[in-house]
Short mmCIF file of all heavy atoms in Angstrom, two decimals:
data_model
loop_
_atom_site.label_atom_id
_atom_site.label_comp_id
_atom_site.label_asym_id
_atom_site.label_seq_id
_atom_site.Cartn_x
_atom_site.Cartn_y
_atom_site.Cartn_z
N MET X 1 8.37 -6.85 -7.86
CA MET X 1 7.11 -6.40 -8.44
C MET X 1 6.35 -7.55 -8.98
O MET X 1 5.19 -7.56 -8.90
CB MET X 1 7.41 -5.42 -9.58
CG MET X 1 7.69 -3.98 -9.12
SD MET X 1 7.55 -2.74 -10.40
CE MET X 1 9.00 -3.14 -11.37
N LEU X 2 7.00 -8.54 -9.66
CA LEU X 2 6.43 -9.62 -10.20
C LEU X 2 5.62 -10.47 -9.14
O LEU X 2 4.49 -10.76 -9.27
CB LEU X 2 7.28 -10.54 -11.09
CG LEU X 2 6.74 -11.80 -11.66
CD1 LEU X 2 5.49 -11.47 -12.58
CD2 LEU X 2 7.74 -12.52 -12.52
N ALA X 3 6.43 -10.72 -8.02
CA ALA X 3 5.69 -11.48 -7.00
C ALA X 3 4.46 -10.78 -6.31
O ALA X 3 3.54 -11.33 -6.06
CB ALA X 3 6.86 -11.74 -5.83
N ALA X 4 4.63 -9.45 -6.19
CA ALA X 4 3.55 -8.61 -5.74
C ALA X 4 2.33 -8.68 -6.66
O ALA X 4 1.22 -8.91 -6.24
CB ALA X 4 3.99 -7.20 -5.47
N ALA X 5 2.56 -8.61 -7.95
CA ALA X 5 1.52 -8.67 -8.92
C ALA X 5 0.87 -10.03 -8.88
O ALA X 5 -0.42 -10.15 -8.91
CB ALA X 5 2.07 -8.30 -10.38
N ARG X 6 1.62 -11.11 -8.86
CA ARG X 6 1.10 -12.43 -8.78
C ARG X 6 0.29 -12.61 -7.53
O ARG X 6 -0.65 -13.43 -7.50
CB ARG X 6 2.25 -13.44 -8.71
CG ARG X 6 2.99 -13.63 -10.09
CD ARG X 6 4.10 -14.61 -9.96
NE ARG X 6 4.73 -14.89 -11.28
CZ ARG X 6 6.00 -15.34 -11.44
NH1 ARG X 6 6.72 -15.44 -10.40
NH2 ARG X 6 6.40 -15.57 -12.59
N ALA X 7 0.64 -12.02 -6.41
CA ALA X 7 -0.08 -12.14 -5.20
C ALA X 7 -1.27 -11.26 -5.19
O ALA X 7 -2.11 -11.20 -4.19
CB ALA X 7 0.86 -11.74 -3.96
N GLY X 8 -1.52 -10.42 -6.21
CA GLY X 8 -2.71 -9.58 -6.26
C GLY X 8 -2.57 -8.23 -5.60
O GLY X 8 -3.60 -7.61 -5.26
N PHE X 9 -1.43 -7.75 -5.34
CA PHE X 9 -1.24 -6.43 -4.66
C PHE X 9 -1.39 -5.27 -5.57
O PHE X 9 -1.42 -4.09 -5.02
CB PHE X 9 0.17 -6.47 -3.92
CG PHE X 9 0.18 -7.26 -2.79
CD1 PHE X 9 1.00 -8.39 -2.72
CD2 PHE X 9 -0.63 -7.01 -1.67
CE1 PHE X 9 1.12 -9.24 -1.68
CE2 PHE X 9 -0.52 -7.78 -0.53
CZ PHE X 9 0.33 -8.99 -0.58
N GLY X 10 -1.45 -5.44 -6.88
CA GLY X 10 -1.67 -4.24 -7.73
C GLY X 10 -0.98 -4.43 -9.02
O GLY X 10 -0.65 -5.47 -9.50
N LEU X 11 -0.85 -3.33 -9.72
CA LEU X 11 -0.26 -3.31 -11.02
C LEU X 11 1.35 -3.30 -11.00
O LEU X 11 1.90 -2.83 -9.99
CB LEU X 11 -0.65 -2.02 -11.80
CG LEU X 11 -2.20 -1.80 -12.00
CD1 LEU X 11 -2.37 -0.43 -12.65
CD2 LEU X 11 -2.79 -2.89 -12.70
N ALA X 12 1.87 -3.80 -12.06
CA ALA X 12 3.35 -3.94 -12.12
C ALA X 12 3.63 -3.49 -13.64
O ALA X 12 3.03 -4.04 -14.51
CB ALA X 12 3.96 -5.26 -11.79
N TYR X 13 4.77 -2.75 -13.77
CA TYR X 13 5.20 -2.49 -15.13
C TYR X 13 6.43 -3.23 -15.39
O TYR X 13 7.47 -3.07 -14.84
CB TYR X 13 5.49 -0.90 -15.18
CG TYR X 13 5.89 -0.41 -16.64
CD1 TYR X 13 5.07 -0.45 -17.56
CD2 TYR X 13 7.21 0.01 -16.80
CE1 TYR X 13 5.38 0.01 -18.84
CE2 TYR X 13 7.64 0.51 -18.08
CZ TYR X 13 6.60 0.54 -19.09
OH TYR X 13 7.00 0.92 -20.39
N LEU X 14 6.22 -4.28 -16.13
CA LEU X 14 7.36 -5.33 -16.41
C LEU X 14 7.53 -5.63 -17.82
O LEU X 14 6.60 -5.43 -18.65
CB LEU X 14 7.03 -6.52 -15.58
CG LEU X 14 6.89 -6.47 -14.06
CD1 LEU X 14 6.16 -7.73 -13.51
CD2 LEU X 14 8.20 -6.31 -13.42
N THR X 15 8.64 -6.13 -18.18
CA THR X 15 8.83 -6.57 -19.59
C THR X 15 8.06 -7.89 -19.88
O THR X 15 7.79 -8.61 -19.01
CB THR X 15 10.43 -6.87 -19.79
OG1 THR X 15 10.72 -7.88 -18.97
CG2 THR X 15 11.27 -5.61 -19.58
N GLU X 16 7.53 -7.88 -21.12
CA GLU X 16 6.79 -8.97 -21.50
C GLU X 16 7.32 -10.30 -21.33
O GLU X 16 6.81 -11.34 -20.99
CB GLU X 16 6.21 -8.80 -22.98
CG GLU X 16 5.15 -9.71 -23.37
CD GLU X 16 4.53 -9.30 -24.62
OE1 GLU X 16 4.67 -8.27 -25.22
OE2 GLU X 16 3.75 -10.21 -25.11
N TRP X 17 8.65 -10.36 -21.62
CA TRP X 17 9.35 -11.68 -21.56
C TRP X 17 9.40 -12.22 -20.14
O TRP X 17 9.50 -13.38 -19.84
CB TRP X 17 10.75 -11.66 -22.19
CG TRP X 17 11.75 -10.71 -21.70
CD1 TRP X 17 11.87 -9.42 -22.17
CD2 TRP X 17 12.60 -10.89 -20.60
NE1 TRP X 17 12.87 -8.83 -21.44
CE2 TRP X 17 13.32 -9.64 -20.49
CE3 TRP X 17 12.87 -11.92 -19.69
CZ2 TRP X 17 14.34 -9.42 -19.49
CZ3 TRP X 17 13.89 -11.64 -18.73
CH2 TRP X 17 14.54 -10.53 -18.61
N ASN X 18 9.36 -11.24 -19.11
CA ASN X 18 9.24 -11.62 -17.68
C ASN X 18 7.92 -12.30 -17.36
O ASN X 18 7.86 -12.97 -16.33
CB ASN X 18 9.54 -10.55 -16.85
CG ASN X 18 11.00 -10.34 -16.45
OD1 ASN X 18 11.85 -11.29 -16.60
ND2 ASN X 18 11.36 -9.19 -16.11
N VAL X 19 6.95 -11.89 -17.98
CA VAL X 19 5.59 -12.28 -17.59
C VAL X 19 4.81 -13.08 -18.68
O VAL X 19 3.62 -13.46 -18.48
CB VAL X 19 4.73 -11.05 -17.16
CG1 VAL X 19 5.21 -10.32 -16.00
CG2 VAL X 19 4.51 -10.12 -18.34
N ALA X 20 5.54 -13.59 -19.60
CA ALA X 20 4.88 -14.19 -20.77
C ALA X 20 4.13 -15.49 -20.30
O ALA X 20 2.93 -15.83 -20.65
CB ALA X 20 5.84 -14.63 -21.92
N ALA X 21 4.70 -16.28 -19.39
CA ALA X 21 4.10 -17.49 -18.93
C ALA X 21 2.90 -17.20 -18.02
O ALA X 21 1.96 -17.81 -18.18
CB ALA X 21 5.17 -18.36 -18.09
N ASP X 22 3.06 -16.18 -17.25
CA ASP X 22 1.93 -15.68 -16.44
C ASP X 22 0.69 -15.26 -17.26
O ASP X 22 -0.46 -15.56 -16.92
CB ASP X 22 2.26 -14.64 -15.42
CG ASP X 22 3.23 -15.11 -14.35
OD1 ASP X 22 2.80 -15.86 -13.43
OD2 ASP X 22 4.49 -14.81 -14.49
N LEU X 23 0.94 -14.53 -18.36
CA LEU X 23 -0.13 -14.02 -19.26
C LEU X 23 -0.75 -15.21 -19.97
O LEU X 23 -2.00 -15.35 -20.13
CB LEU X 23 0.49 -13.10 -20.26
CG LEU X 23 0.98 -11.72 -19.68
CD1 LEU X 23 1.74 -10.92 -20.82
CD2 LEU X 23 -0.15 -10.93 -19.13
N ALA X 24 0.11 -16.07 -20.42
CA ALA X 24 -0.40 -17.31 -21.04
C ALA X 24 -1.39 -18.17 -20.14
O ALA X 24 -2.30 -18.74 -20.57
CB ALA X 24 0.72 -18.19 -21.74
N ALA X 25 -0.88 -18.36 -18.93
CA ALA X 25 -1.59 -19.12 -17.94
C ALA X 25 -2.81 -18.41 -17.46
O ALA X 25 -3.75 -19.04 -16.76
CB ALA X 25 -0.68 -19.46 -16.76
N GLY X 26 -2.89 -17.09 -17.62
CA GLY X 26 -4.07 -16.28 -17.11
C GLY X 26 -3.92 -15.75 -15.77
O GLY X 26 -4.87 -15.22 -15.08
N SER X 27 -2.74 -16.08 -15.05
CA SER X 27 -2.53 -15.73 -13.65
C SER X 27 -2.26 -14.16 -13.64
O SER X 27 -2.44 -13.58 -12.56
CB SER X 27 -1.34 -16.41 -13.05
OG SER X 27 -0.20 -16.37 -13.79
N LEU X 28 -1.82 -13.56 -14.68
CA LEU X 28 -1.76 -12.10 -14.82
C LEU X 28 -2.53 -11.67 -16.06
O LEU X 28 -2.53 -12.38 -17.02
CB LEU X 28 -0.21 -11.66 -14.93
CG LEU X 28 0.65 -11.80 -13.71
CD1 LEU X 28 2.04 -11.38 -13.99
CD2 LEU X 28 0.02 -11.07 -12.49
N VAL X 29 -3.08 -10.45 -16.12
CA VAL X 29 -3.68 -9.89 -17.23
C VAL X 29 -3.01 -8.63 -17.65
O VAL X 29 -2.55 -7.86 -16.79
CB VAL X 29 -5.23 -9.77 -17.08
CG1 VAL X 29 -5.90 -11.09 -16.88
CG2 VAL X 29 -5.50 -8.86 -15.91
N ARG X 30 -3.09 -8.31 -18.89
CA ARG X 30 -2.46 -7.08 -19.38
C ARG X 30 -3.61 -5.98 -19.19
O ARG X 30 -4.75 -6.20 -19.53
CB ARG X 30 -2.08 -7.18 -20.90
CG ARG X 30 -1.32 -6.11 -21.49
CD ARG X 30 -1.18 -6.39 -22.99
NE ARG X 30 -0.79 -7.75 -23.19
CZ ARG X 30 0.53 -7.98 -23.46
NH1 ARG X 30 1.49 -7.14 -23.43
NH2 ARG X 30 0.83 -9.32 -23.80
N VAL X 31 -3.10 -4.84 -18.70
CA VAL X 31 -4.08 -3.70 -18.53
C VAL X 31 -3.33 -2.40 -19.16
O VAL X 31 -2.14 -2.39 -19.27
CB VAL X 31 -4.38 -3.41 -17.09
CG1 VAL X 31 -5.14 -4.55 -16.53
CG2 VAL X 31 -3.19 -3.10 -16.22
N LEU X 32 -4.09 -1.46 -19.54
CA LEU X 32 -3.62 -0.19 -19.97
C LEU X 32 -2.71 -0.39 -21.25
O LEU X 32 -1.78 0.29 -21.47
CB LEU X 32 -2.81 0.61 -18.88
CG LEU X 32 -3.59 0.89 -17.69
CD1 LEU X 32 -2.63 1.58 -16.61
CD2 LEU X 32 -4.80 1.89 -17.93
N ASP X 33 -3.17 -1.37 -22.08
CA ASP X 33 -2.44 -1.63 -23.28
C ASP X 33 -2.20 -0.41 -24.15
O ASP X 33 -1.06 -0.26 -24.79
CB ASP X 33 -3.24 -2.67 -24.07
CG ASP X 33 -2.35 -3.92 -24.42
OD1 ASP X 33 -1.17 -3.97 -23.94
OD2 ASP X 33 -2.88 -4.80 -25.10
N GLU X 34 -3.25 0.47 -24.30
CA GLU X 34 -3.04 1.64 -25.18
C GLU X 34 -2.08 2.70 -24.60
O GLU X 34 -1.62 3.51 -25.32
CB GLU X 34 -4.40 2.30 -25.32
CG GLU X 34 -5.04 2.89 -24.17
CD GLU X 34 -5.86 1.88 -23.31
OE1 GLU X 34 -5.80 0.70 -23.53
OE2 GLU X 34 -6.53 2.34 -22.32
N TRP X 35 -1.71 2.52 -23.38
CA TRP X 35 -0.65 3.48 -22.74
C TRP X 35 0.72 2.88 -22.82
O TRP X 35 1.69 3.74 -22.44
CB TRP X 35 -1.19 3.72 -21.25
CG TRP X 35 -2.35 4.50 -21.26
CD1 TRP X 35 -3.61 3.98 -21.11
CD2 TRP X 35 -2.53 5.96 -21.30
NE1 TRP X 35 -4.51 5.04 -21.12
CE2 TRP X 35 -3.88 6.26 -21.27
CE3 TRP X 35 -1.66 6.95 -21.48
CZ2 TRP X 35 -4.38 7.45 -21.26
CZ3 TRP X 35 -2.14 8.22 -21.48
CH2 TRP X 35 -3.52 8.47 -21.36
N THR X 36 0.85 1.69 -23.22
CA THR X 36 2.23 1.10 -23.25
C THR X 36 2.50 0.45 -24.59
O THR X 36 2.37 -0.75 -24.70
CB THR X 36 2.34 0.03 -22.10
OG1 THR X 36 1.30 -0.94 -22.21
CG2 THR X 36 2.30 0.69 -20.73
N PRO X 37 2.85 1.30 -25.58
CA PRO X 37 3.22 0.63 -26.89
C PRO X 37 4.49 -0.39 -26.76
O PRO X 37 5.22 -0.08 -25.89
CB PRO X 37 3.56 1.85 -27.78
CG PRO X 37 3.87 2.88 -26.80
CD PRO X 37 3.17 2.65 -25.49
N PRO X 38 4.43 -1.27 -27.63
CA PRO X 38 5.55 -2.21 -27.54
C PRO X 38 6.91 -1.60 -27.89
O PRO X 38 6.96 -0.64 -28.70
CB PRO X 38 5.27 -3.27 -28.62
CG PRO X 38 4.18 -2.67 -29.40
CD PRO X 38 3.51 -1.65 -28.61
N PHE X 39 7.92 -2.05 -27.22
CA PHE X 39 9.34 -1.50 -27.42
C PHE X 39 10.13 -2.77 -27.73
O PHE X 39 10.37 -3.44 -26.85
CB PHE X 39 9.78 -0.69 -26.25
CG PHE X 39 11.21 -0.16 -26.46
CD1 PHE X 39 11.46 0.77 -27.31
CD2 PHE X 39 12.24 -0.70 -25.71
CE1 PHE X 39 12.77 1.32 -27.37
CE2 PHE X 39 13.53 -0.34 -25.82
CZ PHE X 39 13.82 0.73 -26.72
N ARG X 40 10.71 -2.76 -28.92
CA ARG X 40 11.53 -3.89 -29.37
C ARG X 40 12.95 -3.74 -29.08
O ARG X 40 13.82 -4.59 -29.33
CB ARG X 40 11.19 -4.22 -30.75
CG ARG X 40 9.81 -4.44 -31.11
CD ARG X 40 9.39 -5.85 -30.93
NE ARG X 40 7.97 -6.09 -31.41
CZ ARG X 40 7.00 -6.34 -30.61
NH1 ARG X 40 7.14 -6.43 -29.22
NH2 ARG X 40 5.79 -6.59 -31.09
N GLY X 41 13.39 -2.55 -28.63
CA GLY X 41 14.71 -2.29 -28.45
C GLY X 41 15.31 -2.64 -27.12
O GLY X 41 14.71 -3.39 -26.30
N LEU X 42 16.49 -2.17 -26.80
CA LEU X 42 17.18 -2.51 -25.60
C LEU X 42 17.63 -1.20 -24.98
O LEU X 42 18.03 -0.30 -25.65
CB LEU X 42 18.43 -3.37 -25.97
CG LEU X 42 19.29 -3.77 -24.81
CD1 LEU X 42 18.62 -4.70 -23.75
CD2 LEU X 42 20.53 -4.50 -25.26
N SER X 43 17.44 -1.11 -23.68
CA SER X 43 17.94 0.10 -22.99
C SER X 43 19.02 -0.21 -22.04
O SER X 43 18.93 -1.27 -21.29
CB SER X 43 16.75 0.79 -22.25
OG SER X 43 15.78 1.26 -23.13
N LEU X 44 20.05 0.52 -21.89
CA LEU X 44 21.15 0.24 -20.86
C LEU X 44 21.49 1.60 -20.32
O LEU X 44 21.68 2.58 -20.94
CB LEU X 44 22.37 -0.18 -21.71
CG LEU X 44 23.63 -0.49 -20.87
CD1 LEU X 44 23.36 -1.59 -19.90
CD2 LEU X 44 24.83 -0.80 -21.80
N TYR X 45 21.42 1.58 -19.02
CA TYR X 45 21.70 2.82 -18.22
C TYR X 45 22.96 2.59 -17.44
O TYR X 45 23.09 1.54 -16.77
CB TYR X 45 20.49 3.05 -17.23
CG TYR X 45 19.21 3.38 -17.88
CD1 TYR X 45 18.35 2.37 -18.26
CD2 TYR X 45 18.90 4.70 -18.38
CE1 TYR X 45 17.13 2.69 -18.86
CE2 TYR X 45 17.74 4.99 -18.97
CZ TYR X 45 16.89 3.95 -19.33
OH TYR X 45 15.75 4.30 -19.96
N TYR X 46 23.75 3.58 -17.53
CA TYR X 46 25.06 3.46 -16.76
C TYR X 46 25.49 4.86 -16.44
O TYR X 46 25.03 5.84 -17.09
CB TYR X 46 26.15 2.71 -17.64
CG TYR X 46 26.43 3.30 -18.92
CD1 TYR X 46 27.51 4.27 -19.16
CD2 TYR X 46 25.72 2.91 -20.07
CE1 TYR X 46 27.65 4.71 -20.45
CE2 TYR X 46 25.92 3.47 -21.30
CZ TYR X 46 26.94 4.31 -21.40
OH TYR X 46 27.17 4.89 -22.73
N PRO X 47 26.35 5.00 -15.39
CA PRO X 47 26.70 6.39 -14.90
C PRO X 47 27.65 7.11 -15.78
O PRO X 47 28.75 6.60 -16.09
CB PRO X 47 27.33 6.19 -13.54
CG PRO X 47 27.81 4.71 -13.66
CD PRO X 47 26.92 4.01 -14.57
N GLY X 48 27.27 8.24 -16.34
CA GLY X 48 28.19 9.05 -17.13
C GLY X 48 28.96 8.51 -18.28
O GLY X 48 28.76 7.30 -18.61
N ARG X 49 29.74 9.25 -18.95
CA ARG X 49 30.56 8.82 -20.10
C ARG X 49 32.05 8.83 -19.72
O ARG X 49 32.83 8.27 -20.42
CB ARG X 49 30.28 9.70 -21.23
CG ARG X 49 28.94 9.70 -21.83
CD ARG X 49 28.90 10.25 -23.19
NE ARG X 49 27.65 10.19 -23.83
CZ ARG X 49 27.12 9.19 -24.45
NH1 ARG X 49 27.79 8.16 -24.64
NH2 ARG X 49 25.88 9.24 -25.00
N ARG X 50 32.38 9.35 -18.67
CA ARG X 50 33.73 9.43 -18.23
C ARG X 50 34.09 8.18 -17.22
O ARG X 50 33.20 7.83 -16.44
CB ARG X 50 34.13 10.67 -17.47
CG ARG X 50 33.92 11.90 -18.43
CD ARG X 50 34.24 13.15 -17.65
NE ARG X 50 35.58 13.20 -17.28
CZ ARG X 50 36.11 14.23 -16.77
NH1 ARG X 50 35.48 15.34 -16.45
NH2 ARG X 50 37.45 14.26 -16.53
N HIS X 51 35.28 7.64 -17.47
CA HIS X 51 35.69 6.59 -16.58
C HIS X 51 34.92 5.33 -16.65
O HIS X 51 34.50 4.78 -15.53
CB HIS X 51 35.92 7.05 -15.09
CG HIS X 51 36.66 8.36 -14.99
ND1 HIS X 51 37.99 8.41 -15.32
CD2 HIS X 51 36.33 9.64 -14.70
CE1 HIS X 51 38.48 9.58 -15.18
NE2 HIS X 51 37.48 10.35 -14.77
N VAL X 52 34.41 4.98 -17.79
CA VAL X 52 33.63 3.77 -17.96
C VAL X 52 34.57 2.55 -17.89
O VAL X 52 35.58 2.53 -18.62
CB VAL X 52 32.86 3.76 -19.27
CG1 VAL X 52 32.06 2.41 -19.40
CG2 VAL X 52 31.84 4.94 -19.29
N PRO X 53 34.31 1.57 -16.95
CA PRO X 53 35.24 0.36 -16.85
C PRO X 53 35.25 -0.31 -18.22
O PRO X 53 34.32 -0.38 -19.04
CB PRO X 53 34.49 -0.46 -15.85
CG PRO X 53 33.63 0.44 -15.00
CD PRO X 53 33.20 1.58 -15.98
N ALA X 54 36.42 -0.95 -18.42
CA ALA X 54 36.76 -1.49 -19.75
C ALA X 54 35.70 -2.67 -20.09
O ALA X 54 35.23 -2.76 -21.22
CB ALA X 54 38.07 -2.13 -19.69
N ALA X 55 35.30 -3.39 -19.10
CA ALA X 55 34.35 -4.48 -19.31
C ALA X 55 32.88 -3.94 -19.67
O ALA X 55 32.38 -4.38 -20.67
CB ALA X 55 34.15 -5.33 -18.02
N LEU X 56 32.52 -2.92 -19.10
CA LEU X 56 31.23 -2.20 -19.43
C LEU X 56 31.43 -1.62 -20.88
O LEU X 56 30.51 -1.68 -21.65
CB LEU X 56 30.87 -1.09 -18.45
CG LEU X 56 29.58 -0.33 -18.77
CD1 LEU X 56 28.39 -1.26 -18.87
CD2 LEU X 56 29.38 0.66 -17.62
N ARG X 57 32.46 -0.94 -21.05
CA ARG X 57 32.68 -0.35 -22.53
C ARG X 57 32.68 -1.38 -23.48
O ARG X 57 32.11 -1.28 -24.64
CB ARG X 57 34.01 0.43 -22.49
CG ARG X 57 34.62 0.91 -23.87
CD ARG X 57 33.63 1.80 -24.67
NE ARG X 57 33.04 2.88 -23.85
CZ ARG X 57 31.95 3.49 -24.09
NH1 ARG X 57 31.26 3.14 -25.16
NH2 ARG X 57 31.52 4.42 -23.35
N ALA X 58 33.23 -2.60 -23.31
CA ALA X 58 33.22 -3.72 -24.28
C ALA X 58 31.79 -4.14 -24.49
O ALA X 58 31.35 -4.41 -25.64
CB ALA X 58 34.16 -4.86 -23.81
N MET X 59 31.00 -4.26 -23.43
CA MET X 59 29.58 -4.68 -23.57
C MET X 59 28.80 -3.64 -24.34
O MET X 59 28.02 -4.00 -25.26
CB MET X 59 28.96 -4.91 -22.12
CG MET X 59 27.57 -5.50 -22.33
SD MET X 59 26.80 -5.91 -20.75
CE MET X 59 26.23 -4.23 -20.16
N ILE X 60 28.98 -2.37 -24.05
CA ILE X 60 28.30 -1.27 -24.72
C ILE X 60 28.57 -1.33 -26.24
O ILE X 60 27.73 -1.30 -27.11
CB ILE X 60 28.63 0.08 -24.15
CG1 ILE X 60 28.02 0.19 -22.72
CG2 ILE X 60 28.05 1.17 -25.00
CD1 ILE X 60 28.57 1.37 -21.94
N ASP X 61 29.87 -1.49 -26.56
CA ASP X 61 30.30 -1.62 -27.90
C ASP X 61 29.67 -2.82 -28.66
O ASP X 61 29.21 -2.66 -29.80
CB ASP X 61 31.84 -1.63 -28.02
CG ASP X 61 32.41 -0.33 -27.62
OD1 ASP X 61 31.78 0.74 -27.55
OD2 ASP X 61 33.69 -0.41 -27.28
N LEU X 62 29.68 -3.85 -27.96
CA LEU X 62 29.01 -5.16 -28.62
C LEU X 62 27.58 -5.02 -28.78
O LEU X 62 27.09 -5.28 -29.96
CB LEU X 62 29.26 -6.32 -27.60
CG LEU X 62 28.68 -7.62 -28.07
CD1 LEU X 62 29.30 -8.12 -29.43
CD2 LEU X 62 28.75 -8.64 -26.98
N ILE X 63 26.81 -4.37 -27.85
CA ILE X 63 25.42 -4.04 -28.07
C ILE X 63 25.20 -3.14 -29.24
O ILE X 63 24.33 -3.37 -30.11
CB ILE X 63 24.87 -3.57 -26.79
CG1 ILE X 63 24.84 -4.59 -25.72
CG2 ILE X 63 23.40 -2.98 -27.00
CD1 ILE X 63 24.39 -4.17 -24.26
N ARG X 64 25.95 -2.09 -29.30
CA ARG X 64 25.80 -1.10 -30.41
C ARG X 64 26.05 -1.81 -31.75
O ARG X 64 25.33 -1.57 -32.80
CB ARG X 64 26.78 -0.02 -30.28
CG ARG X 64 26.24 0.94 -29.27
CD ARG X 64 27.05 2.21 -29.10
NE ARG X 64 26.46 3.16 -28.26
CZ ARG X 64 27.09 4.08 -27.57
NH1 ARG X 64 28.41 4.13 -27.66
NH2 ARG X 64 26.49 4.94 -26.75
N LYS X 65 27.13 -2.70 -31.81
CA LYS X 65 27.56 -3.35 -32.99
C LYS X 65 26.32 -4.32 -33.44
O LYS X 65 25.99 -4.33 -34.64
CB LYS X 65 28.76 -4.11 -32.79
CG LYS X 65 29.17 -5.00 -33.97
CD LYS X 65 30.43 -5.73 -33.74
CE LYS X 65 30.94 -6.59 -34.81
NZ LYS X 65 32.04 -7.36 -34.48
N LYS X 66 25.69 -5.08 -32.56
CA LYS X 66 24.69 -5.97 -32.87
C LYS X 66 23.37 -5.12 -33.25
O LYS X 66 22.63 -5.75 -34.01
CB LYS X 66 24.34 -6.79 -31.66
CG LYS X 66 25.48 -7.84 -31.30
CD LYS X 66 25.62 -8.84 -32.38
CE LYS X 66 26.78 -9.89 -31.98
NZ LYS X 66 27.06 -10.90 -33.03
N ALA X 67 23.20 -3.99 -32.59
CA ALA X 67 21.92 -3.30 -32.86
C ALA X 67 21.90 -2.71 -34.17
O ALA X 67 20.79 -2.47 -34.77
CB ALA X 67 21.81 -2.20 -31.83
N VAL X 68 23.07 -2.39 -34.79
CA VAL X 68 23.14 -1.80 -36.13
C VAL X 68 22.77 -2.80 -37.25
O VAL X 68 22.22 -2.32 -38.22
CB VAL X 68 24.60 -1.29 -36.37
CG1 VAL X 68 24.82 -0.78 -37.88
CG2 VAL X 68 24.90 -0.14 -35.46
N LYS X 69 22.94 -4.10 -36.95
CA LYS X 69 22.77 -5.08 -38.01
C LYS X 69 21.23 -5.24 -38.16
O LYS X 69 20.31 -4.99 -37.66
CB LYS X 69 23.38 -6.40 -37.59
CG LYS X 69 24.80 -6.35 -37.68
CD LYS X 69 25.35 -7.70 -37.32
CE LYS X 69 26.89 -7.67 -37.56
NZ LYS X 69 27.61 -8.92 -37.25
#
């Protein structure tokens, strides 16, 4: 999506940290600001709650622990 937006093919819905340099350089511009309020959190999508691999469970637990602070 980022490459397509840079090439002028249309709009892209991306995280600000992915496009910060492009916004600062003026190669991309922010549009529809009022429709996209800032989100300072973190989202993690994973399949179901049953049979979560141990490594993924450890990462989820770490993220939750850090988010509470």
